[in-house]
Amino acid sequence: MTSPVPDTGSRIPEAVHRRRWAILGVLMLSLLIVVLDNSILNVAIKTISTPAPTGLGATQSELEWAINAYTLVFAGLLFSAGILGDRLGRKKVLLGGLAVFGIGSALAAFSGSPGELIAFRSVMGLGAAFVMPATLAVLMNVFERDEQPKAIGIWAGGVGLAIAIGPITGGVLLDHFWWGSVFLINVPIVLLALALMLWLVPDSRDPNPGRIDPVGVVLSVVGLVLLVYGIIKGGQLADFTDATVLATIAAGLAVLAAFVVFEKRSDHPSVDITYFRNKVFSAAIGVIALVFFALMGVTFFSVFYTQSVRGYSPLETGLLMLPLAAAQMIFAPRARLLVDRFGNRATTTGAMLLIALTLAAFATFEADTPIWVLEVVFFLMGAAMAHIMTPVSVVIMQALPREKAGSASALSNTFRQVGGALGIAVLGSVLSTAYRGDIEDRLTALPEGLRHTAGESIEATLGVADKLGPRGEALVGPANDAFLHAMHVTALWGAGIAVLGAVVVALFLPGRPTAPQKGEEERELVASE
């Protein structure tokens, strides 16, 4: 069994220590690019689903794949990317990841079809996989342990900043340029980040790095892709009993089971399964997956609610999401104050229950719900997120010694991305199935092939209605009603997942922090052998 090595307590060089806050700023800029891309895409998905020349005419399942192609490559390679950073140097890996991300962004901007967009989003995911773990790993190596919670809080606040900037930037770009501009905007940011990184960021590496596990990487990616494909296909067909759907999901689960068995037996695993013997560490990782499962799925349908049902423009939709981002920016750096007073368990459990309430609130929204109610819900959701991500990230990052920071960051982000991908797949499929079940009876007058296409999503129905001219106007009202019902069902599923997360943290996360003995924090991860 491999056990984490205790932190050696080596001091950070004085020159690095003096510029640690400037380095944090560069790391946040790198993080901004990765998060900005997804938050911009959230506003643009309706435009991309519009037929050419405005968009690409992507179906709902293709939109889910455009998001998940990025996410699955990102999640599947994160841990290996963290190990490569430990081995080759975090700065080198950061520079290479940013360059690949920039190239993928430029290619995605000029995609000629949904298939090309999915492929180039995969390239972006490849680059992002090398950026995300390296940012936290560098952070843990330029801040002393007593400053790490504050630095991680500011780092998490950068996520809120990206969430704020992304939708607004995307809305402005879509108001003035073509849909591809939401990807092209990444390129100048990448160039600026590369220049600042070369100048300011020191290199660091693990003196005893792990080995790359190619078999584990392949098994994890193949298993996740099969699982997500089966779930999305089930939603597309509105039939989870279909033989193809069941076979694909079963194959994905079987490959993932093989991945776990292989990792337990490997002497250089991608994921050290022994870390999960510690209940606190496992609970923290699991909560990240559950909260992003719920939130990513809800974010996916909220854009269609504001734009398709309520009629807001992409820019107005971006502005509507400001309270969510503002709350994260306000509360993320201060979340540690509540943790210091009430402990991780109480703070995170309360925040998870608040997430559940905000998700359940979407089940009450109608086409004429006052928009200020949505704004309050978004603000509360952002505040809850800040009080989950900051304390949980600190628990995870401090569970491993400093030289293993890349591994801790990779595990955290892997489960976040996997949770988000499954959330979009599962809740997107719930949305699609519920929508088709409600709208099908109103599409009987359409030819069979067109009927199936029109029933996949509200955008598909409205697109068919637009082509039919005056004859299609009768479909608009039923499409809105069917979507609202589907959104209500999906929101309640998301709320249920958030409640499950609250139960997990209430049972397993630590309570009020106590003053530990020297080295105790590093040893608490090691399970009894």
Side-chain angles (χ1 to χ4, degrees):
M1 168 179 164
T2 303
S3 299
V5 180
D7 196 338
T8 60
S10 56
R11 292 193 57 80
I12 296 168
E14 181 61 30
V16 173
H17 183 73
R18 283 199 305 268
R19 63 176 191 268
R20 64 195 184 284
W21 297 109
I23 293 169
L24 177 60
V26 179
L27 297 177
M28 288 177 62
L29 181 61
S30 303
L31 177 69
L32 177 78
I33 301 166
V34 175
V35 180
L36 182 75
D37 176 73
N38 273 336
S39 58
I40 281 182
L41 184 60
N42 287 337
V43 174
I45 54 178
K46 181 182 181 297
T47 304
I48 294 172
S49 69
T50 306
T54 303
L56 291 176
T59 65
Q60 179 167 310
S61 58
E62 287 171 335
L63 288 174
E64 290 176 33
W65 275 115
I67 298 171
N68 280 342
Y70 174 91
T71 301
L72 291 175
V73 172
F74 191 179
L77 295 177
L78 265 174
F79 204 87
S80 293
I83 292 175
L84 275 177
D86 292 343
R87 179 177 290 274
L88 302 177
R90 282 78 180 241
K91 181 175 181 177
K92 296 183 183 70
V93 165
L94 260 174
L95 292 170
L98 282 172
V100 172
F101 186 86
I103 293 168
S105 298
L107 293 171
F110 296 100
S111 299
S113 67
E116 288 185 9
L117 177 60
I118 292 168
F120 295 140
R121 287 275 297 164
S122 300
V123 176
M124 295 172 67
L126 173 64
F130 287 87
V131 173
M132 180 68 84
T135 59
L136 262 182
V138 171
L139 182 154
M140 298 298 285
N141 277 274
V142 299
F143 284 92
E144 297 290 356
R145 193 173 187 86
D146 60 342
E147 283 189 321
Q148 287 172 4
K150 180 179 180 181
I152 291 174
I154 295 172
W155 179 89
V159 176
L161 178 63
I163 293 173
I165 294 174
I168 297 172
T169 304
V172 171
L173 291 170
L174 291 171
D175 271 2
H176 295 88
F177 304 102
W178 95 115
W179 65 267
S181 60
V182 301
F183 298 110
L184 200 60
I185 191 65
N186 292 332
V187 176
I189 304 176
V190 165
L191 294 175
L192 176 61
L194 286 171
L196 291 174
M197 198 169 295
L198 285 168
W199 177 32
L200 287 172
V201 176
D203 207 355
S204 63
R205 66 184 70 200
D206 186 346
N208 299 299
R211 292 161 56 194
I212 300 298
D213 174 25
V215 175
V217 170
V218 171
L219 287 174
S220 63
V221 173
V222 171
L224 286 170
V225 168
L226 286 172
L227 179 61
V228 169
Y229 176 83
I231 294 170
I232 292 176
K233 189 68 175 178
Q236 183 182 1
L237 298 174
D239 182 9
F240 282 89
T241 63
D242 180 83
T244 302
V245 172
L246 290 175
T248 308
I249 292 176
L253 292 173
V255 173
L256 290 175
F259 166 73
V260 173
V261 172
F262 180 83
E263 295 301 285
K264 289 177 71 174
R265 296 178 177 177
S266 175
D267 59 355
H268 57 286
S270 286
V271 177
D272 192 336
I273 304 297
T274 60
Y275 293 161
F276 293 92
R277 294 183 182 180
N278 179 272
K279 292 179 180 179
V280 172
F281 183 80
S282 297
I285 287 285
V287 166
I288 283 183
L290 289 173
V291 75
F292 273 85
F293 180 102
L295 284 173
M296 289 297 287
V298 171
T299 301
F300 184 78
F301 71 63
S302 67
V303 172
F304 290 102
Y305 171 68
T306 55
Q307 294 188 34
S308 298
V309 177
R310 302 297 297 259
Y312 289 102
S313 69
L315 177 57
E316 289 168 334
T317 298
L319 292 171
L320 288 174
M321 295 180 71
L322 265 180
L324 187 151
Q328 286 204 49
M329 293 171 63
I330 292 168
F331 293 110
R334 299 170 174 81
R336 71 187 190 282
L337 301 177
L338 275 184
V339 173
D340 289 343
R341 182 167 182 179
F342 300 107
N344 280 300
R345 183 189 303 129
T347 301
T348 313
T349 301
M352 286 297 299
L353 290 174
L354 182 56
I355 286 282
L357 286 174
T358 58
L359 295 177
F362 276 93
T364 68
F365 287 178
E366 302 293 343
D368 59 353
T369 297
I371 203 63
W372 67 264
V373 177
L374 177 65
E375 297 297 85
V376 171
V377 167
F378 274 148
F379 184 84
L380 293 175
M381 188 179 289
M385 277 290 292
H387 288 94
I388 295 168
M389 295 309 299
T390 300
V392 169
S393 294
V394 171
V395 168
I396 293 170
M397 294 304 293
Q398 293 194 342
L400 298 181
R402 178 180 290 160
E403 63 268 19
K404 298 297 182 183
S407 299
S409 175
L411 274 170
S412 172
N413 285 291
T414 295
F415 275 77
R416 181 168 69 176
Q417 296 300 323
V418 169
L422 290 175
I424 291 170
V426 173
L427 296 184
S429 294
V430 170
L431 182 75
S432 181
T433 302
Y435 180 81
R436 187 182 290 279
D438 261 26
I439 198 67
E440 271 186 334
D441 291 343
R442 307 303 296 265
L443 303 175
T444 53
L446 299 177
E448 186 175 347
L450 191 59
R451 191 186 315 154
H452 182 82
T453 301
E456 186 174 270
S457 67
I458 184 173
E459 278 305 303
T461 306
L462 295 179
V464 170
D466 186 58
K467 289 180 181 178
L468 293 175
R471 291 189 300 128
E473 292 179 2
L475 292 176
V476 175
N480 286 338
D481 292 340
F483 177 83
L484 287 170
H485 174 260
M487 182 180 78
H488 296 164
V489 172
T490 309
L492 291 176
W493 272 67
I497 295 297
V499 170
L500 177 61
V503 171
V504 171
V505 295
L507 290 175
F508 298 114
L509 281 199
R512 290 192 179 193
T514 56
Q517 298 294 323
K518 184 176 180 180
E520 181 181 330
E521 290 162 308
E522 288 83 359
R523 291 194 300 272
E524 71 181 21
L525 178 63
V526 184
S528 59
E529 302 182 22

